[in-house]
Structures are given as C-alpha cells and as structure tokens.
Amino acid sequence: MTPLASIIGSGFLICGPLLAKEFGSAALLAMALLLAIAYAVGAVIRFNIIHVENLTPSLTFNDPFAWAMRVAQALLAIAYAVSVAYYLKLLAEFTMKPLSISAEYHSLVSNILVTLIIIAMTALTFSGSIHRIERAAQETVSVKIGIIAGLLAALAIWWVTRSEPIAALPPAIISPSGIPLLLGLLITVQGFETSRYMGESYDQATRIKTMRYAQWISSAIYLAFLALLTPFLNEAQHAEGVAGILDIMEMVAPALGIFVLIGAVSSQLSAAIADSIGSGGLMIEVSRRKLGVRTAFIAASALSIAVVWLTDPFSVIALSSRAFALFYAMQAVLAFWVSLRTKAGSSWARTGFALVGLVCLVAAVAGAPAEG
C-alpha cells in the first residue's frame, strides 16, 4: 500500500491533458515510455535494497561510498520535505474551496491546516511503529483506488454505449521539444523509492516484491486511464490540471465531477502519508539507527513544517522534481559502484545502471516541472 500510495498522487489526473497537449494522439505511447523509464529506475533501487544495504554495515564513516550515500540521502530529504508540504498544500486548497476565506488570511489558514495534518500524522507513530500511519495510508488508498476504478468504469461504459462516431483524434506529435516535459513528468510516477527506507519494519524480499507490484498496478492504472481518455484527447489538449479533467469527466456523466475532487483530495493525502513514511525511514537510516520511529518522524515532520511556513511549495516544486531526479541518478551511481565493488550483477546490468543514471541526470537538468 505504501509505495502504491506514494506513486499515485494527483499525477494520474494531469498526465492525460499534459501528454495530449504535447504529443497529441501519441500520448499513450509517451506514457508507456515514461513508465518504462520509471520501472528501470525502480529496478536500480531494488538492486540497491539488497546490495547497498548489505554493504552499509561494513562501511567506515569516511569511506567514499558512505559519503556518496549521504549525498543521495540529503537530496532525498529535500525532495521529501518539499513533496509532503506540496501535497498537503494542494489538499488544503481543495478543502478550502467551498469556504469563504478572505485572500488576506487564505495563506495563514492554509499553513495552519497543513501543519495540523502533519502533526496528526506524526501522532499516529506514538505507538512506536509505523503501522498506525500505514493504516491511515491504507484507508486513503482504498478510497483513491475505488474512485479511480469508478472513473475507469465510467469511461469504459461511455465507449460501449456510445452510438455516434468518435471525433477525429489530434495528430501525433513526436519531436525533441517534448522530451523535457516527458522527463519532468517522472515526478508524477515516482514514489517507489519509499520502499528503500522501510527496512526498519520490513525485510528486503517484502520491500522488493511490493515495490514491483506497486509499479505494475500503477502502470496499469495510468495506461488504462489514458487509453480510455483517447476519445477526449482534443478536449484534453485544452484542459488544465485537475479542473480540466473534472470538465472532461462531467462530459461523460455530470455526477463524476465530485468523484474527481474526492479522488484528488485522497490522492494528495495518501501520497503525503506515504512520503512521510519514507522520510521517517530516511531519518532512521541517516542517523545510523540511533533515532527511533517516533523521533525520526518528529524530525522529518519538523522539516516539512519548516518548508510550509518558509516557502511557497507551488513555486519550489521544481526543486522537488530535480531533487528526486538527482536522487535517482545517485542511486544509479551507487548501483554501478557497488556492482564493481562486490562483483554483484553483470556487465549488462552495469551498462543499464549507467543509462538510467544518464537519463535521470538529463531529467534533473532539462526536465520541465510537470506538477508546478
């Protein structure tokens, strides 16, 4: 549940319009390529769950490999702090829409609401384990998956019952100018790295298997949603974010609009909970297990709260996107390095690590932020 919650944020709602606008009728092909890149990155992290983690206890403090790990952890700490704040900021915006709050106090009320949610998530860990906060993630993921299943079913019924011919699709657009956007969308399908920092509670085999399943399930959802959205690609080209998808789904059935909003809110909450779990696990590993679960979550939450009050997450999401891409690039470097150092993996695997690292580096430098 945790990696799945982290992968499927509101990104599944905005990928269709963004890809339709940039790639036309080739949007589904672009989505498949993006998911293939994400799966390759996931394979690198799954390799590291075994080989980097097994090497870590034998490393001295000044070992160059240990310093490379710390760089990767610092990048991820920044990305997690910003992403948790960003997800909850969006949730606050959706929650506050029906309320009449003056512009003068809007930001203050939003920040207070986000801070209270973060404190509540941290309080769930006071039992001394992450299982209470995981149960909260499970409930929100259940709602989210139910909403997504309903949206997919509604689109499928529209296909089956429609008697009029489908409007002509926009032409396929395949050009180098679309690469930055495609790489920038990597942040909408990331989240599988959360499994890397749950070693305090789950063994390696469980984390590897569940990360793989989460990527399979999320890939199926993304591809199915975009495929069923095909008749609406012309409308999707002019849609903007969640509001645009809301308009499209209301064309299918007016009642679906409220479900899109519920899906968006539950997506933000479950993704924030999942990233807070990853952030807490990261703090435990950074402290070389000197921090307990509760203390680690308090430290991670304090960092996110600082981001909420000191920055505008909507403007710094580009920092989060690039930090995640750099973290993945560093994970590829670590995989390549540990493979050479321990002789684990083949030369083909090392070539794959190098290619993944290069793609992620390009995403960090040239990727256009997709969720900004």
Side-chain angles (χ1 to χ4, degrees):
M1 281 294 185
T2 301
L4 186 61
S6 190
I7 293 172
I8 305 180
S10 63
F12 83 96
L13 292 172
I14 67 171
C15 274
L18 284 169
L19 291 174
K21 192 175 298 184
E22 191 68 32
F23 297 96
S25 58
L28 186 62
L29 180 62
M31 187 77 244
L33 177 59
L34 177 64
L35 291 168
I37 293 172
Y39 195 79
V41 177
V44 169
I45 295 178
R46 287 190 287 274
F47 180 87
N48 287 350
I49 283 177
I50 296 177
H51 300 287
V52 172
E53 287 185 10
N54 290 348
L55 179 65
T56 299
S58 65
L59 296 175
T60 62
F61 183 81
N62 290 320
D63 190 302
F65 193 89
W67 278 105
M69 287 178 58
R70 289 182 201 113
V71 170
Q73 290 164 342
L75 291 169
L76 187 58
I78 294 170
Y80 270 145
V82 176
S83 65
V84 169
Y86 170 66
Y87 285 136
L88 293 179
K89 270 283 196 179
L90 282 184
L91 185 150
E93 292 299 317
F94 283 119
T95 304
M96 292 164 59
K97 269 188 176 181
L99 306 177
S100 299
I101 299 175
S102 65
E104 183 182 358
Y105 297 105
H106 187 91
S107 179
L108 176 63
V109 173
S110 175
N111 287 349
I112 291 173
L113 179 59
V114 171
T115 302
L116 291 175
I117 294 173
I118 294 174
I119 291 172
M121 290 193 303
T122 306
L124 291 175
T125 67
F126 274 30
S127 63
S129 74
I130 66 169
H131 295 299
R132 284 192 178 180
I133 195 169
E134 282 186 308
R135 278 195 289 274
Q138 182 176 348
E139 295 301 324
T140 52
V141 170
S142 297
V143 172
K144 178 168 64 177
I145 295 298
I147 293 292
I148 292 171
L151 296 178
L152 294 177
L155 286 168
I157 291 170
W158 184 92
W159 272 82
V160 173
T161 59
R162 183 176 174 83
S163 56
E164 301 88 352
I166 295 172
L169 298 179
I173 305 170
I174 300 176
S175 69
S177 62
I179 294 176
L181 176 78
L182 188 66
L183 294 177
L185 276 168
L186 185 62
I187 194 169
T188 66
V189 294
Q190 57 78 220
F192 40 84
E193 76 289 331
T194 302
S195 301
R196 168 70 178 81
Y197 297 101
M198 296 178 70
E200 188 74 9
S201 302
Y202 297 99
D203 60 42
Q204 292 174 340
T206 299
R207 286 180 288 142
I208 289 171
K209 180 176 68 174
T210 53
M211 188 210 293
R212 188 181 290 116
Y213 286 169
Q215 286 201 279
W216 289 347
I217 293 168
S218 60
S219 295
I221 288 172
Y222 275 88
L223 290 173
F225 189 71
L226 199 54
L228 291 171
L229 203 64
T230 298
F232 302 97
L233 283 182
N234 277 314
E235 290 84 356
Q237 284 187 312
H238 307 292
E240 293 185 4
V242 174
I245 282 292
L246 190 150
D247 293 338
I248 291 172
M249 296 308 298
E250 285 181 339
M251 290 171 56
V252 177
L256 289 177
I258 185 63
F259 292 104
V260 173
L261 287 176
I262 294 172
V265 170
S266 61
S267 294
Q268 299 307 326
L269 183 57
S270 63
I273 292 173
D275 277 7
S276 70
I277 291 172
S279 185
L282 173 63
M283 291 292 182
I284 291 172
E285 183 166 314
V286 168
S287 69
R288 300 173 79 101
R289 307 197 180 279
K290 290 183 176 63
L291 292 180
V293 171
R294 186 188 307 176
T295 311
F297 269 84
I298 290 173
S301 298
L303 189 57
S304 292
I305 290 172
V307 171
V308 169
W309 288 94
L310 298 177
T311 65
D312 175 7
F314 292 101
S315 64
V316 298
I317 191 60
L319 171 64
S320 179
S321 302
R322 284 170 169 75
F324 272 116
L326 285 173
F327 168 75
Y328 293 145
M330 282 300 302
Q331 287 295 310
V333 170
L334 292 174
F336 187 91
W337 195 346
V338 78
S339 179
L340 288 176
R341 185 163 174 165
T342 65
K343 307 304 180 187
S346 64
S347 58
W348 284 106
R350 286 189 282 274
T351 301
F353 298 152
L355 288 175
V356 169
L358 181 61
V359 169
C360 292
L361 192 60
V362 172
V365 174
E371 291 195 23

